[in-house]
Structure formats: C-alpha cells, structure tokens
Amino acid sequence: MKAVVFKGQGHVAVEERPAPRIEEPTDAIVRVSMAAICGTDVRVLQGRIPGAPDAIIGHEFCGVIEDVGPEVTGLKPGERVVSPFSVFCGGCFYCKKGLLTACERRQVYGFGALGGAQAEFVRVPSATAVLEKLPDAITDTQAAFLSDILPGTFAGLQLAGLAAGDSVAVVGCGPTGVCTQLLARAMGAATVIGIDRHASRLAAAERLGSAAVSMESGDPLSRVRGATGGRGADLAVEATGTLAGLVAASALARPWGTLLSLGVGIERAGEFPAGSLAGRHVKLVPAGIPPVKNYIEPLMKMLANGVIDPSPIATHILPLEEAPRGYDLMAGRRDGALKVLLKP
C-alpha cells in the first residue's frame, strides 16, 4: 500500500509499505477514504515534536471497514467509520471513567508501534470501543474533522463552560482556532473575535463571521475590551500551541473569566503570568488532548442537521501521492492553506 512516511526533520515521502493485517482478535482494518494533516504532524516535520524516522505518519482519518477480528462486535466490513486520533482499551480504570486519553494502554496513530493514518489502510486496535459509524449524510471531508480537531475544540469549549451569550476571543486562526470560532458561534456565543498575525488566516476567521483582529497592528486587548463593555472576554482561547499564544490569550480574559488552552506542543519552559491570572481569578482550563471519542456522536448530529459545516476550512484536498506538497503548503502557510486533506 502507499503511505506517507516521516523521513527525518523537514522531509516526508510517499512509499510502498506492507498493508496492515489483523494482529489481535479485537482489531479492525480500515480502508482510508480521507486523511488530514494536523498541526501536530507539521510540528513533527519541523522537529518540534519527536517523530520516529521511517514511521507512517498521521492520526486523523475516516474510511470503510475492510476486515474485522473475531471478537469485534457491532461492526462489519463495508461500513463507513471514523476513528479518534488515539486508541484505547475501553476497560481500564480511566476508560471506565470516560478519560480515554489517560487509558493505561493508549496508543496514538503514527507514534510508537501503531501505524499512522496517512495511508491506504490502517489497523485499529480495540475496534469495538474505538470506531464510530458514520451516517450517509456526513461527507468524507466533514468526517475527517471528527477524528481530532472538531471534537477536540468542542470538548475544550464544553470543559471551559461556554454559555450562550458569552464573548469569546481566540488567539490563533489556524485550523484549531477557526474550528473553535465555528463551534463557539454554533453554541450561542454572542461575540467571537479571532486574533492572528497572518492576513489569510484573519480572512478565514472573517468568512466564519468572526471579528478579525491583527496581532501586530490591531491592538487585540483594546478591541476585545471595546466589544465587551471594557471587561474582557468571558472566554479567552489559546489555539497556537505556543507559550506566546497562551500569554497573549491570558491578557484578554475578564476578571473571573476563563482561559482555555487548546494547543499541543506548548514549550515546557518560559515565563507565564500566573500571578495575573490568580489576581483576576481567571480559571485556566488545559484541553490540548481531550477524550475526543466522547464528543463525536453529538457532533455527527450537528453535522447531519446542518448546524455546523467545517468543509470550507479544508482549503486543499490532495491525492495521497501529493502529501509532501500538502505538508509544504501547511508548514509554509502557502496558497492560503489552512487545513489540507489527503485522499488515497
């Protein structure tokens, strides 16, 4: 099969690899219909997150079941499915509490021993617990967002307690940031402000109906306060995966408001204004790696009913063979690239 392989910092390639097979009786093999390049994948390419050379990369995908092991129940070949970005056993202490990303046997596609999803086929362990069936009303393009980015941002907004009528300021208008803005509006936010330094991403925020503010020339703090009666945002969101983004977002939250951190890969060292948050009673909600499987079903209903549609966020849909170009587009923010999908 063809697969996208991480060849070391700055380089991915499409290579022929052996197709996965059933290894455990609870496994399923899924033929990939659509895979997505995630910001985390780009950070692996850039060397900001460790990746194993010659590993198949990618963790966001939907597809059709090709084969199932003898202990898989409720799933059969030919059914369309989507998988969360990581797999879990479904039976340990954390899984029973719904804390799936703390599973004692958790694996992430494309990291460790589990093969990545930017390929023609993927092996899915614990398939009965992990996979979610897709209704016909949801397209492959929409479904690709259900693996990670859409339920991840939905989870963050729910964990942060977003309520109808709230004001939301989002630092970062990349894929995570614009998905956050899309969902915040669908969940009833009265004011949504997107903040970034790149014109193409600010334009994407505006297309979703957000007020777009340039980080470099627009004075985000004044704009946010001006839109909120001088208070600041009820919910300030970091969607950059950087400490600078988190610090910038922290300044936008009103007293007794909430700071939501959605980015993955934030630096482990650096100065953060914890005293300012404490003095203003701002609650910090870290939600970079939530249990996204718990949020896929309600999002499928929203998609099927036309409440939300992330399809316009997919600026490029490329053949799997063009994955290196897709990574270049996303890493360099070229050609207005926001979210790149790969179709095997």
Side-chain angles (χ1 to χ4, degrees), residues 267-293:
E267 300 90 336
R268 296 179 183 273
E271 294 187 3
F272 178 72
S276 173
L277 262 62
R280 290 182 290 136
H281 298 275
V282 173
K283 178 174 68 174
L284 172 62
V285 178
I289 310 178
V292 300
K293 172 65 185 294

Side-chain angles (χ1 to χ4, degrees), residues 197-260:
R197 64 180 73 254
H198 300 286
S200 63
R201 296 192 163 189
L202 291 169
E206 286 185 326
R207 287 194 294 271
L208 292 174
S210 301
V213 180
S214 171
M215 179 71 77
E216 296 182 337
S217 61
D219 193 359
L221 181 57
S222 293
R223 289 286 299 275
V224 170
R225 286 182 175 171
T228 58
R231 295 181 300 276
D234 297 310
L235 175 59
V237 183
E238 171 275 314
T240 65
T242 66
L243 181 59
L246 185 61
V247 171
S250 71
L252 304 178
R254 65 164 171 82
W256 296 91
T258 301
L259 172 62
L260 171 62

Side-chain angles (χ1 to χ4, degrees), residues 65-327:
I65 295 177
E66 187 83 3
D67 194 11
V68 296
E71 293 183 16
V72 174
T73 59
L75 298 167
K76 63 181 184 292
E79 292 181 322
R80 295 176 68 229
V81 290
V82 63
S83 173
F85 65 89
S86 64
V87 302
F88 43 88
C89 70
C92 70
F93 170 85
Y94 291 105
C95 285
K96 289 177 180 177
K97 289 184 174 292
L99 305 173
L100 307 176
T101 50
C103 172
E104 295 164 2
R105 291 180 284 280
R106 175 176 177 253
Q107 299 180 76
V108 181
Y109 296 108
F111 294 89
L114 186 58
Q118 291 169 15
E120 293 182 296
F121 297 92
V122 179
R123 181 177 74 89
V124 181
S126 304
T128 300
V130 171
L131 292 175
E132 193 78 44
K133 294 182 187 178
L134 286 166
D136 292 339
I138 296 177
T139 68
D140 286 342
T141 297
Q142 293 171 326
F145 284 83
L146 289 170
S147 270
D148 185 356
I149 190 168
L150 202 61
T153 51
F154 190 49
L157 291 170
Q158 290 206 345
L159 291 168
L162 175 65
D166 277 354
S167 56
V168 180
V170 182
V171 175
C173 295
T176 297
V178 292
C179 278
T180 303
Q181 294 164 51
L182 175 73
L183 284 166
R185 293 182 65 84
M187 295 168 70
T191 302
V192 180
I193 301 171
I195 301 159
D196 205 292
R197 64 180 73 254
H198 300 286
S200 63
R201 296 192 163 189
L202 291 169
E206 286 185 326
R207 287 194 294 271
L208 292 174
S210 301
V213 180
S214 171
M215 179 71 77
E216 296 182 337
S217 61
D219 193 359
L221 181 57
S222 293
R223 289 286 299 275
V224 170
R225 286 182 175 171
T228 58
R231 295 181 300 276
D234 297 310
L235 175 59
V237 183
E238 171 275 314
T240 65
T242 66
L243 181 59
L246 185 61
V247 171
S250 71
L252 304 178
R254 65 164 171 82
W256 296 91
T258 301
L259 172 62
L260 171 62
S261 177
L262 290 175
V264 177
I266 290 176
E267 300 90 336
R268 296 179 183 273
E271 294 187 3
F272 178 72
S276 173
L277 262 62
R280 290 182 290 136
H281 298 275
V282 173
K283 178 174 68 174
L284 172 62
V285 178
I289 310 178
V292 300
K293 172 65 185 294
N294 298 341
Y295 301 87
I296 292 177
E297 185 175 354
L299 282 168
M300 288 198 301
K301 293 178 181 177
M302 294 170 72
L303 286 166
N305 292 328
V307 176
I308 57 170
D309 182 12
S311 301
I313 298 170
T315 52
H316 297 73
I317 301 176
L318 305 177
L320 187 71
E321 292 84 350
E322 293 186 28
R325 176 176 168 240
Y327 272 87

